[in-house]
Amino acid sequence: MALSEVIYEALESIVGSDNITQEPATLYTYAFQRALELYTPEHSKFLHKPEAVVMPGSTEEIQSIVKTCNRLGIKYHAFSTGWIHTAGPLTEGVVQLDLRRMSRILEIDEKNQSAVIEPYVIAAQLQAEAMKVGLNTFMIGA
């Protein structure tokens, strides 16, 4: 199922033309999952290919995308780092939300020793900023 031009343009109006694609080579990269063959009966390294990939840059854009998808009856799936076999679309007809543009540390609260971060903040980024205010983070090792 390819997205209709109306649906694509509705999503494009939210994130801009640089932050949405239906380019087949890009879509297949979101379907590929390393080691997936260990978990699926067909021993494939590919999940379903998304119908489009949309990269929101803010909570407000995510809200608009979700409202638009719900209004138009389109399934969506959020994707942060993608380092797990359920990161890609699990069914056909899905718009993939790639959250990579959301990589900011919004707040570090020294008193309560907490941080408010966006989904694509990596541990090293948070650690570096925490150390600037005399804090440390706990990161689970590999």
Side-chain angles (χ1 to χ4, degrees), residues 18-51:
D18 289 342
N19 298 306
I20 184 170
T21 188
Q22 284 184 304
E23 166 32 63
T26 301
L27 299 182
Y28 277 111
T29 65
Y30 285 85
F32 176 81
Q33 293 293 316
R34 187 179 62 78
L36 182 65
E37 72 278 7
L38 302 173
Y39 302 99
T40 59
E42 60 276 358
H43 303 292
S44 173
K45 289 183 179 274
F46 289 88
L47 295 169
H48 297 279
K49 177 176 63 85
E51 301 304 324

PDB file of all heavy atoms in Angstrom, residues 18-51:
ATOM      1  N   ASP A  18      12.168  18.174   3.597  1.00  0.00           N
ATOM      2  CA  ASP A  18      13.456  17.536   3.901  1.00  0.00           C
ATOM      3  C   ASP A  18      13.348  16.443   4.958  1.00  0.00           C
ATOM      4  O   ASP A  18      14.321  15.720   5.191  1.00  0.00           O
ATOM      5  CB  ASP A  18      14.475  18.571   4.386  1.00  0.00           C
ATOM      6  CG  ASP A  18      14.942  19.492   3.276  1.00  0.00           C
ATOM      7  OD1 ASP A  18      14.763  19.145   2.091  1.00  0.00           O
ATOM      8  OD2 ASP A  18      15.478  20.568   3.596  1.00  0.00           O
ATOM      9  N   ASN A  19      12.188  16.330   5.595  1.00  0.00           N
ATOM     10  CA  ASN A  19      12.039  15.416   6.730  1.00  0.00           C
ATOM     11  C   ASN A  19      10.974  14.345   6.521  1.00  0.00           C
ATOM     12  O   ASN A  19      10.403  13.827   7.479  1.00  0.00           O
ATOM     13  CB  ASN A  19      11.756  16.221   7.994  1.00  0.00           C
ATOM     14  CG  ASN A  19      12.892  17.149   8.311  1.00  0.00           C
ATOM     15  OD1 ASN A  19      14.034  16.721   8.416  1.00  0.00           O
ATOM     16  ND2 ASN A  19      12.603  18.432   8.428  1.00  0.00           N
ATOM     17  N   ILE A  20      10.744  14.005   5.277  1.00  0.00           N
ATOM     18  CA  ILE A  20       9.824  12.919   4.928  1.00  0.00           C
ATOM     19  C   ILE A  20      10.315  12.299   3.627  1.00  0.00           C
ATOM     20  O   ILE A  20      10.859  13.001   2.765  1.00  0.00           O
ATOM     21  CB  ILE A  20       8.366  13.418   4.791  1.00  0.00           C
ATOM     22  CG1 ILE A  20       7.407  12.246   4.524  1.00  0.00           C
ATOM     23  CG2 ILE A  20       8.247  14.502   3.740  1.00  0.00           C
ATOM     24  CD1 ILE A  20       5.930  12.608   4.601  1.00  0.00           C
ATOM     25  N   THR A  21      10.162  10.980   3.497  1.00  0.00           N
ATOM     26  CA  THR A  21      10.573  10.324   2.255  1.00  0.00           C
ATOM     27  C   THR A  21       9.763   9.066   1.997  1.00  0.00           C
ATOM     28  O   THR A  21       9.274   8.431   2.931  1.00  0.00           O
ATOM     29  CB  THR A  21      12.080   9.986   2.267  1.00  0.00           C
ATOM     30  OG1 THR A  21      12.451   9.512   0.963  1.00  0.00           O
ATOM     31  CG2 THR A  21      12.414   8.926   3.294  1.00  0.00           C
ATOM     32  N   GLN A  22       9.654   8.750   0.716  1.00  0.00           N
ATOM     33  CA  GLN A  22       9.130   7.467   0.257  1.00  0.00           C
ATOM     34  C   GLN A  22      10.149   6.794  -0.660  1.00  0.00           C
ATOM     35  O   GLN A  22       9.820   5.857  -1.375  1.00  0.00           O
ATOM     36  CB  GLN A  22       7.810   7.652  -0.497  1.00  0.00           C
ATOM     37  CG  GLN A  22       6.633   7.933   0.409  1.00  0.00           C
ATOM     38  CD  GLN A  22       5.339   8.011  -0.372  1.00  0.00           C
ATOM     39  OE1 GLN A  22       5.206   8.801  -1.306  1.00  0.00           O
ATOM     40  NE2 GLN A  22       4.392   7.190   0.016  1.00  0.00           N
ATOM     41  N   GLU A  23      11.392   7.252  -0.631  1.00  0.00           N
ATOM     42  CA  GLU A  23      12.469   6.709  -1.453  1.00  0.00           C
ATOM     43  C   GLU A  23      12.684   5.246  -1.069  1.00  0.00           C
ATOM     44  O   GLU A  23      12.973   4.928   0.081  1.00  0.00           O
ATOM     45  CB  GLU A  23      13.685   7.578  -1.208  1.00  0.00           C
ATOM     46  CG  GLU A  23      15.052   7.166  -1.631  1.00  0.00           C
ATOM     47  CD  GLU A  23      15.211   6.329  -2.860  1.00  0.00           C
ATOM     48  OE1 GLU A  23      14.870   6.772  -3.954  1.00  0.00           O
ATOM     49  OE2 GLU A  23      15.724   5.220  -2.703  1.00  0.00           O
ATOM     50  N   PRO A  24      12.502   4.305  -2.009  1.00  0.00           N
ATOM     51  CA  PRO A  24      12.571   2.872  -1.694  1.00  0.00           C
ATOM     52  C   PRO A  24      13.845   2.431  -0.974  1.00  0.00           C
ATOM     53  O   PRO A  24      13.777   1.650  -0.020  1.00  0.00           O
ATOM     54  CB  PRO A  24      12.442   2.197  -3.053  1.00  0.00           C
ATOM     55  CG  PRO A  24      11.681   3.173  -3.891  1.00  0.00           C
ATOM     56  CD  PRO A  24      12.140   4.528  -3.422  1.00  0.00           C
ATOM     57  N   ALA A  25      15.001   2.911  -1.393  1.00  0.00           N
ATOM     58  CA  ALA A  25      16.250   2.490  -0.746  1.00  0.00           C
ATOM     59  C   ALA A  25      16.259   2.889   0.729  1.00  0.00           C
ATOM     60  O   ALA A  25      16.704   2.126   1.586  1.00  0.00           O
ATOM     61  CB  ALA A  25      17.454   3.085  -1.462  1.00  0.00           C
ATOM     62  N   THR A  26      15.740   4.065   1.024  1.00  0.00           N
ATOM     63  CA  THR A  26      15.668   4.513   2.419  1.00  0.00           C
ATOM     64  C   THR A  26      14.671   3.669   3.201  1.00  0.00           C
ATOM     65  O   THR A  26      14.952   3.248   4.331  1.00  0.00           O
ATOM     66  CB  THR A  26      15.275   6.003   2.482  1.00  0.00           C
ATOM     67  OG1 THR A  26      16.246   6.766   1.769  1.00  0.00           O
ATOM     68  CG2 THR A  26      15.197   6.481   3.919  1.00  0.00           C
ATOM     69  N   LEU A  27      13.517   3.393   2.608  1.00  0.00           N
ATOM     70  CA  LEU A  27      12.490   2.614   3.310  1.00  0.00           C
ATOM     71  C   LEU A  27      12.997   1.213   3.655  1.00  0.00           C
ATOM     72  O   LEU A  27      12.723   0.701   4.743  1.00  0.00           O
ATOM     73  CB  LEU A  27      11.222   2.528   2.470  1.00  0.00           C
ATOM     74  CG  LEU A  27      10.548   3.865   2.132  1.00  0.00           C
ATOM     75  CD1 LEU A  27       9.276   3.614   1.331  1.00  0.00           C
ATOM     76  CD2 LEU A  27      10.267   4.695   3.361  1.00  0.00           C
ATOM     77  N   TYR A  28      13.755   0.606   2.764  1.00  0.00           N
ATOM     78  CA  TYR A  28      14.280  -0.736   3.038  1.00  0.00           C
ATOM     79  C   TYR A  28      15.303  -0.726   4.180  1.00  0.00           C
ATOM     80  O   TYR A  28      15.443  -1.707   4.890  1.00  0.00           O
ATOM     81  CB  TYR A  28      14.884  -1.364   1.780  1.00  0.00           C
ATOM     82  CG  TYR A  28      13.828  -2.008   0.921  1.00  0.00           C
ATOM     83  CD1 TYR A  28      13.488  -1.476  -0.312  1.00  0.00           C
ATOM     84  CD2 TYR A  28      13.147  -3.142   1.345  1.00  0.00           C
ATOM     85  CE1 TYR A  28      12.509  -2.049  -1.097  1.00  0.00           C
ATOM     86  CE2 TYR A  28      12.158  -3.730   0.576  1.00  0.00           C
ATOM     87  CZ  TYR A  28      11.848  -3.172  -0.644  1.00  0.00           C
ATOM     88  OH  TYR A  28      10.864  -3.751  -1.411  1.00  0.00           O
ATOM     89  N   THR A  29      16.010   0.392   4.369  1.00  0.00           N
ATOM     90  CA  THR A  29      16.947   0.433   5.495  1.00  0.00           C
ATOM     91  C   THR A  29      16.211   0.391   6.829  1.00  0.00           C
ATOM     92  O   THR A  29      16.750  -0.101   7.817  1.00  0.00           O
ATOM     93  CB  THR A  29      17.850   1.684   5.459  1.00  0.00           C
ATOM     94  OG1 THR A  29      17.058   2.856   5.628  1.00  0.00           O
ATOM     95  CG2 THR A  29      18.643   1.752   4.181  1.00  0.00           C
ATOM     96  N   TYR A  30      14.986   0.878   6.869  1.00  0.00           N
ATOM     97  CA  TYR A  30      14.196   0.819   8.100  1.00  0.00           C
ATOM     98  C   TYR A  30      13.598  -0.571   8.315  1.00  0.00           C
ATOM     99  O   TYR A  30      13.256  -0.933   9.432  1.00  0.00           O
ATOM    100  CB  TYR A  30      13.098   1.879   8.089  1.00  0.00           C
ATOM    101  CG  TYR A  30      13.635   3.263   8.346  1.00  0.00           C
ATOM    102  CD1 TYR A  30      14.139   4.044   7.316  1.00  0.00           C
ATOM    103  CD2 TYR A  30      13.668   3.776   9.634  1.00  0.00           C
ATOM    104  CE1 TYR A  30      14.655   5.303   7.553  1.00  0.00           C
ATOM    105  CE2 TYR A  30      14.176   5.040   9.891  1.00  0.00           C
ATOM    106  CZ  TYR A  30      14.669   5.796   8.842  1.00  0.00           C
ATOM    107  OH  TYR A  30      15.179   7.046   9.088  1.00  0.00           O
ATOM    108  N   ALA A  31      13.471  -1.352   7.266  1.00  0.00           N
ATOM    109  CA  ALA A  31      12.942  -2.712   7.384  1.00  0.00           C
ATOM    110  C   ALA A  31      14.009  -3.701   7.835  1.00  0.00           C
ATOM    111  O   ALA A  31      13.701  -4.729   8.434  1.00  0.00           O
ATOM    112  CB  ALA A  31      12.350  -3.157   6.050  1.00  0.00           C
ATOM    113  N   PHE A  32      15.280  -3.388   7.558  1.00  0.00           N
ATOM    114  CA  PHE A  32      16.372  -4.289   7.910  1.00  0.00           C
ATOM    115  C   PHE A  32      16.625  -4.255   9.408  1.00  0.00           C
ATOM    116  O   PHE A  32      16.727  -3.194  10.010  1.00  0.00           O
ATOM    117  CB  PHE A  32      17.657  -3.898   7.173  1.00  0.00           C
ATOM    118  CG  PHE A  32      18.840  -4.739   7.562  1.00  0.00           C
ATOM    119  CD1 PHE A  32      19.010  -5.999   7.001  1.00  0.00           C
ATOM    120  CD2 PHE A  32      19.757  -4.298   8.501  1.00  0.00           C
ATOM    121  CE1 PHE A  32      20.098  -6.789   7.359  1.00  0.00           C
ATOM    122  CE2 PHE A  32      20.848  -5.077   8.865  1.00  0.00           C
ATOM    123  CZ  PHE A  32      21.011  -6.334   8.295  1.00  0.00           C
ATOM    124  N   GLN A  33      16.746  -5.424  10.014  1.00  0.00           N
ATOM    125  CA  GLN A  33      17.067  -5.530  11.444  1.00  0.00           C
ATOM    126  C   GLN A  33      18.123  -6.606  11.639  1.00  0.00           C
ATOM    127  O   GLN A  33      17.886  -7.778  11.343  1.00  0.00           O
ATOM    128  CB  GLN A  33      15.821  -5.879  12.264  1.00  0.00           C
ATOM    129  CG  GLN A  33      14.780  -4.795  12.283  1.00  0.00           C
ATOM    130  CD  GLN A  33      15.248  -3.563  13.022  1.00  0.00           C
ATOM    131  OE1 GLN A  33      15.829  -3.653  14.092  1.00  0.00           O
ATOM    132  NE2 GLN A  33      15.009  -2.397  12.444  1.00  0.00           N
ATOM    133  N   ARG A  34      19.275  -6.191  12.128  1.00  0.00           N
ATOM    134  CA  ARG A  34      20.367  -7.127  12.374  1.00  0.00           C
ATOM    135  C   ARG A  34      19.923  -8.190  13.367  1.00  0.00           C
ATOM    136  O   ARG A  34      19.273  -7.915  14.353  1.00  0.00           O
ATOM    137  CB  ARG A  34      21.567  -6.354  12.932  1.00  0.00           C
ATOM    138  CG  ARG A  34      22.816  -7.185  13.082  1.00  0.00           C
ATOM    139  CD  ARG A  34      23.963  -6.345  13.616  1.00  0.00           C
ATOM    140  NE  ARG A  34      23.725  -5.784  14.928  1.00  0.00           N
ATOM    141  CZ  ARG A  34      23.833  -6.471  16.067  1.00  0.00           C
ATOM    142  NH1 ARG A  34      24.169  -7.735  16.043  1.00  0.00           N
ATOM    143  NH2 ARG A  34      23.602  -5.885  17.212  1.00  0.00           N
ATOM    144  N   ALA A  35      20.236  -9.435  13.092  1.00  0.00           N
ATOM    145  CA  ALA A  35      19.940 -10.611  13.933  1.00  0.00           C
ATOM    146  C   ALA A  35      18.460 -10.960  13.981  1.00  0.00           C
ATOM    147  O   ALA A  35      18.062 -11.836  14.741  1.00  0.00           O
ATOM    148  CB  ALA A  35      20.494 -10.441  15.340  1.00  0.00           C
ATOM    149  N   LEU A  36      17.632 -10.316  13.162  1.00  0.00           N
ATOM    150  CA  LEU A  36      16.206 -10.633  13.150  1.00  0.00           C
ATOM    151  C   LEU A  36      15.954 -12.085  12.759  1.00  0.00           C
ATOM    152  O   LEU A  36      15.007 -12.716  13.237  1.00  0.00           O
ATOM    153  CB  LEU A  36      15.453  -9.702  12.192  1.00  0.00           C
ATOM    154  CG  LEU A  36      13.943  -9.893  12.110  1.00  0.00           C
ATOM    155  CD1 LEU A  36      13.296  -9.547  13.457  1.00  0.00           C
ATOM    156  CD2 LEU A  36      13.356  -9.040  11.005  1.00  0.00           C
ATOM    157  N   GLU A  37      16.828 -12.645  11.927  1.00  0.00           N
ATOM    158  CA  GLU A  37      16.649 -14.028  11.476  1.00  0.00           C
ATOM    159  C   GLU A  37      16.634 -15.011  12.649  1.00  0.00           C
ATOM    160  O   GLU A  37      16.125 -16.121  12.543  1.00  0.00           O
ATOM    161  CB  GLU A  37      17.716 -14.424  10.447  1.00  0.00           C
ATOM    162  CG  GLU A  37      19.115 -14.613  10.999  1.00  0.00           C
ATOM    163  CD  GLU A  37      19.921 -13.332  11.184  1.00  0.00           C
ATOM    164  OE1 GLU A  37      19.383 -12.233  11.007  1.00  0.00           O
ATOM    165  OE2 GLU A  37      21.107 -13.448  11.519  1.00  0.00           O
ATOM    166  N   LEU A  38      17.167 -14.612  13.776  1.00  0.00           N
ATOM    167  CA  LEU A  38      17.159 -15.472  14.964  1.00  0.00           C
ATOM    168  C   LEU A  38      15.790 -15.523  15.630  1.00  0.00           C
ATOM    169  O   LEU A  38      15.521 -16.412  16.422  1.00  0.00           O
ATOM    170  CB  LEU A  38      18.200 -14.974  15.978  1.00  0.00           C
ATOM    171  CG  LEU A  38      19.637 -14.888  15.482  1.00  0.00           C
ATOM    172  CD1 LEU A  38      20.507 -14.229  16.539  1.00  0.00           C
ATOM    173  CD2 LEU A  38      20.159 -16.263  15.107  1.00  0.00           C
ATOM    174  N   TYR A  39      14.919 -14.564  15.310  1.00  0.00           N
ATOM    175  CA  TYR A  39      13.628 -14.440  15.994  1.00  0.00           C
ATOM    176  C   TYR A  39      12.426 -14.764  15.119  1.00  0.00           C
ATOM    177  O   TYR A  39      11.320 -14.846  15.619  1.00  0.00           O
ATOM    178  CB  TYR A  39      13.457 -13.010  16.530  1.00  0.00           C
ATOM    179  CG  TYR A  39      14.543 -12.605  17.483  1.00  0.00           C
ATOM    180  CD1 TYR A  39      15.623 -11.827  17.057  1.00  0.00           C
ATOM    181  CD2 TYR A  39      14.507 -13.003  18.811  1.00  0.00           C
ATOM    182  CE1 TYR A  39      16.620 -11.460  17.930  1.00  0.00           C
ATOM    183  CE2 TYR A  39      15.506 -12.634  19.698  1.00  0.00           C
ATOM    184  CZ  TYR A  39      16.566 -11.858  19.253  1.00  0.00           C
ATOM    185  OH  TYR A  39      17.553 -11.497  20.121  1.00  0.00           O
ATOM    186  N   THR A  40      12.621 -14.906  13.816  1.00  0.00           N
ATOM    187  CA  THR A  40      11.474 -15.106  12.926  1.00  0.00           C
ATOM    188  C   THR A  40      11.504 -16.499  12.305  1.00  0.00           C
ATOM    189  O   THR A  40      12.572 -17.019  11.968  1.00  0.00           O
ATOM    190  CB  THR A  40      11.473 -14.049  11.802  1.00  0.00           C
ATOM    191  OG1 THR A  40      12.691 -14.163  11.052  1.00  0.00           O
ATOM    192  CG2 THR A  40      11.350 -12.643  12.358  1.00  0.00           C
ATOM    193  N   PRO A  41      10.336 -17.096  12.132  1.00  0.00           N
ATOM    194  CA  PRO A  41      10.272 -18.441  11.542  1.00  0.00           C
ATOM    195  C   PRO A  41      10.838 -18.502  10.124  1.00  0.00           C
ATOM    196  O   PRO A  41      11.408 -19.513   9.730  1.00  0.00           O
ATOM    197  CB  PRO A  41       8.788 -18.770  11.535  1.00  0.00           C
ATOM    198  CG  PRO A  41       8.121 -17.757  12.390  1.00  0.00           C
ATOM    199  CD  PRO A  41       9.035 -16.591  12.518  1.00  0.00           C
ATOM    200  N   GLU A  42      10.706 -17.421   9.356  1.00  0.00           N
ATOM    201  CA  GLU A  42      11.198 -17.422   7.976  1.00  0.00           C
ATOM    202  C   GLU A  42      12.679 -17.065   7.887  1.00  0.00           C
ATOM    203  O   GLU A  42      13.247 -17.018   6.798  1.00  0.00           O
ATOM    204  CB  GLU A  42      10.355 -16.491   7.090  1.00  0.00           C
ATOM    205  CG  GLU A  42      10.323 -15.043   7.504  1.00  0.00           C
ATOM    206  CD  GLU A  42       9.294 -14.724   8.590  1.00  0.00           C
ATOM    207  OE1 GLU A  42       8.553 -15.595   9.029  1.00  0.00           O
ATOM    208  OE2 GLU A  42       9.256 -13.557   8.997  1.00  0.00           O
ATOM    209  N   HIS A  43      13.311 -16.791   9.004  1.00  0.00           N
ATOM    210  CA  HIS A  43      14.747 -16.472   9.084  1.00  0.00           C
ATOM    211  C   HIS A  43      15.143 -15.317   8.168  1.00  0.00           C
ATOM    212  O   HIS A  43      16.190 -15.344   7.538  1.00  0.00           O
ATOM    213  CB  HIS A  43      15.604 -17.713   8.792  1.00  0.00           C
ATOM    214  CG  HIS A  43      15.294 -18.845   9.704  1.00  0.00           C
ATOM    215  ND1 HIS A  43      15.585 -18.831  11.055  1.00  0.00           N
ATOM    216  CD2 HIS A  43      14.677 -20.034   9.471  1.00  0.00           C
ATOM    217  CE1 HIS A  43      15.173 -19.950  11.602  1.00  0.00           C
ATOM    218  NE2 HIS A  43      14.616 -20.702  10.674  1.00  0.00           N
ATOM    219  N   SER A  44      14.307 -14.292   8.141  1.00  0.00           N
ATOM    220  CA  SER A  44      14.581 -13.110   7.327  1.00  0.00           C
ATOM    221  C   SER A  44      15.206 -12.013   8.192  1.00  0.00           C
ATOM    222  O   SER A  44      14.961 -11.938   9.384  1.00  0.00           O
ATOM    223  CB  SER A  44      13.275 -12.584   6.726  1.00  0.00           C
ATOM    224  OG  SER A  44      13.500 -11.351   6.071  1.00  0.00           O
ATOM    225  N   LYS A  45      16.003 -11.173   7.553  1.00  0.00           N
ATOM    226  CA  LYS A  45      16.576 -10.020   8.238  1.00  0.00           C
ATOM    227  C   LYS A  45      15.714  -8.770   8.035  1.00  0.00           C
ATOM    228  O   LYS A  45      16.096  -7.679   8.433  1.00  0.00           O
ATOM    229  CB  LYS A  45      17.985  -9.737   7.718  1.00  0.00           C
ATOM    230  CG  LYS A  45      19.010 -10.758   8.141  1.00  0.00           C
ATOM    231  CD  LYS A  45      20.377 -10.347   7.630  1.00  0.00           C
ATOM    232  CE  LYS A  45      21.436 -11.329   8.046  1.00  0.00           C
ATOM    233  NZ  LYS A  45      21.989 -11.059   9.357  1.00  0.00           N
ATOM    234  N   PHE A  46      14.543  -8.916   7.409  1.00  0.00           N
ATOM    235  CA  PHE A  46      13.714  -7.767   7.081  1.00  0.00           C
ATOM    236  C   PHE A  46      12.334  -7.854   7.716  1.00  0.00           C
ATOM    237  O   PHE A  46      11.686  -8.890   7.690  1.00  0.00           O
ATOM    238  CB  PHE A  46      13.541  -7.637   5.560  1.00  0.00           C
ATOM    239  CG  PHE A  46      14.795  -7.200   4.870  1.00  0.00           C
ATOM    240  CD1 PHE A  46      15.723  -8.136   4.444  1.00  0.00           C
ATOM    241  CD2 PHE A  46      15.059  -5.858   4.667  1.00  0.00           C
ATOM    242  CE1 PHE A  46      16.892  -7.741   3.819  1.00  0.00           C
ATOM    243  CE2 PHE A  46      16.231  -5.452   4.042  1.00  0.00           C
ATOM    244  CZ  PHE A  46      17.146  -6.390   3.612  1.00  0.00           C
ATOM    245  N   LEU A  47      11.907  -6.728   8.286  1.00  0.00           N
ATOM    246  CA  LEU A  47      10.520  -6.543   8.708  1.00  0.00           C
ATOM    247  C   LEU A  47       9.774  -5.974   7.507  1.00  0.00           C
ATOM    248  O   LEU A  47      10.321  -5.871   6.413  1.00  0.00           O
ATOM    249  CB  LEU A  47      10.464  -5.557   9.884  1.00  0.00           C
ATOM    250  CG  LEU A  47      11.122  -6.015  11.175  1.00  0.00           C
ATOM    251  CD1 LEU A  47      11.228  -4.851  12.152  1.00  0.00           C
ATOM    252  CD2 LEU A  47      10.327  -7.145  11.802  1.00  0.00           C
ATOM    253  N   HIS A  48       8.558  -5.534   7.736  1.00  0.00           N
ATOM    254  CA  HIS A  48       7.807  -4.878   6.663  1.00  0.00           C
ATOM    255  C   HIS A  48       8.437  -3.519   6.368  1.00  0.00           C
ATOM    256  O   HIS A  48       8.900  -2.824   7.267  1.00  0.00           O
ATOM    257  CB  HIS A  48       6.348  -4.697   7.073  1.00  0.00           C
ATOM    258  CG  HIS A  48       5.643  -5.992   7.298  1.00  0.00           C
ATOM    259  ND1 HIS A  48       5.140  -6.751   6.270  1.00  0.00           N
ATOM    260  CD2 HIS A  48       5.390  -6.677   8.431  1.00  0.00           C
ATOM    261  CE1 HIS A  48       4.597  -7.850   6.754  1.00  0.00           C
ATOM    262  NE2 HIS A  48       4.736  -7.829   8.075  1.00  0.00           N
ATOM    263  N   LYS A  49       8.439  -3.139   5.120  1.00  0.00           N
ATOM    264  CA  LYS A  49       8.953  -1.835   4.695  1.00  0.00           C
ATOM    265  C   LYS A  49       7.897  -0.776   5.048  1.00  0.00           C
ATOM    266  O   LYS A  49       6.709  -0.963   4.772  1.00  0.00           O
ATOM    267  CB  LYS A  49       9.213  -1.882   3.193  1.00  0.00           C
ATOM    268  CG  LYS A  49       9.680  -0.598   2.576  1.00  0.00           C
ATOM    269  CD  LYS A  49       9.992  -0.784   1.107  1.00  0.00           C
ATOM    270  CE  LYS A  49       8.829  -1.177   0.275  1.00  0.00           C
ATOM    271  NZ  LYS A  49       7.965  -0.157  -0.240  1.00  0.00           N
ATOM    272  N   PRO A  50       8.292   0.344   5.668  1.00  0.00           N
ATOM    273  CA  PRO A  50       7.301   1.387   5.950  1.00  0.00           C
ATOM    274  C   PRO A  50       6.817   2.035   4.656  1.00  0.00           C
ATOM    275  O   PRO A  50       7.488   1.962   3.625  1.00  0.00           O
ATOM    276  CB  PRO A  50       8.073   2.389   6.813  1.00  0.00           C
ATOM    277  CG  PRO A  50       9.501   2.159   6.491  1.00  0.00           C
ATOM    278  CD  PRO A  50       9.637   0.711   6.100  1.00  0.00           C
ATOM    279  N   GLU A  51       5.662   2.654   4.719  1.00  0.00           N
ATOM    280  CA  GLU A  51       5.115   3.365   3.550  1.00  0.00           C
ATOM    281  C   GLU A  51       5.803   4.712   3.355  1.00  0.00           C
ATOM    282  O   GLU A  51       5.880   5.213   2.241  1.00  0.00           O
ATOM    283  CB  GLU A  51       3.605   3.566   3.710  1.00  0.00           C
ATOM    284  CG  GLU A  51       2.841   2.266   3.857  1.00  0.00           C
ATOM    285  CD  GLU A  51       3.072   1.294   2.720  1.00  0.00           C
ATOM    286  OE1 GLU A  51       3.213   1.743   1.562  1.00  0.00           O
ATOM    287  OE2 GLU A  51       3.104   0.079   2.976  1.00  0.00           O
TER     288      GLU A  51
END
